[in-house]
């Protein structure tokens, strides 16, 4: 390898250098047997965050409108509790929250396809801890999904 090749691999980044060396990265979800695009493919981060924002807004609206008359108390105490219950109950029964359904997403268990209530509770607890949700693998699954044995896909 001459100096120009070494400099070129440095400029193009580690992924390009690894691909040049023969590493096959594939597409997101390929290792899980999911399609690359369309229904059943791995959900993109933008949709996932959008669904989380919709669910948070719904929880906040329920807390403010039905339980408290104070936005501060609703946001600090009741909305997280309502969101936790909403996520565990809806993901554990039908596989999606209202925000996920609105944006065309669904949570599936890798083995059975249906998320059990205990998997939904584990996934939600890990999501509320935030750190597992911020650590992603090459398939785009957060650590909370990996530990719970789930994957979030497009409908």
């Amino acid at each position: 390898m001459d100096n120009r090749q070494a400099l070129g691999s440095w400029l193009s980044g580690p992924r390009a250098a690894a691909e040049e060396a023969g590493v096959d990265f594939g597409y997101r979800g390929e290792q899980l047997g999911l399609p690359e695009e369309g229904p059943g493919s791995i959900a993109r981060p933008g949709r996932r965050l959008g669904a989380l924002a919709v669910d948070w807004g719904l929880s906040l609206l329920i807390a403010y409108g039905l339980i408290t008359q104070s936005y501060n108390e609703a946001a600090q105490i009741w909305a997280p509790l309502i969101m936790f219950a909403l996520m565990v109950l809806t993901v554990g029964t039908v596989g999606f929250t209202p925000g996920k359904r609105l944006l065309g997403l669904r949570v599936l268990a890798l083995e059975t396809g249906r998320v059990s209530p205990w998997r939904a509770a584990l996934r939600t607890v890990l999501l509320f801890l935030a750190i597992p949700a911020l650590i992603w693998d090459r398939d785009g699954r957060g650590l909370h999904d990996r530990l719970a044995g789930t994957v979030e896909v497009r409908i």
Side-chain angles (χ1 to χ4, degrees), residues 1 3 5 7 18 25 83 86 96 100 106 109-110 113 130 135 150 154:
M1 175 185 302
N3 289 338
Q5 283 180 326
L7 185 61
F25 286 102
M83 186 163 174
L86 175 81
F96 48 80
K100 289 183 191 329
R106 183 179 179 103
L110 288 176
I135 300 172
T150 58
R154 292 173 54 193

Side-chain angles (χ1 to χ4, degrees), residues 29-49:
E30 183 176 21
Q31 293 178 339
L32 303 172
L34 300 174
E36 186 173 3
E37 294 292 326
S41 64
I42 295 281
R44 300 288 184 214
R47 280 189 181 195
R48 294 176 78 160
L49 288 173

Side-chain angles (χ1 to χ4, degrees), residues 11-36:
L11 289 173
S12 59
R15 182 180 178 113
E19 286 175 345
E20 209 172 278
V23 176
D24 180 27
F25 286 102
Y27 61 86
R28 300 207 262 172
E30 183 176 21
Q31 293 178 339
L32 303 172
L34 300 174
E36 186 173 3

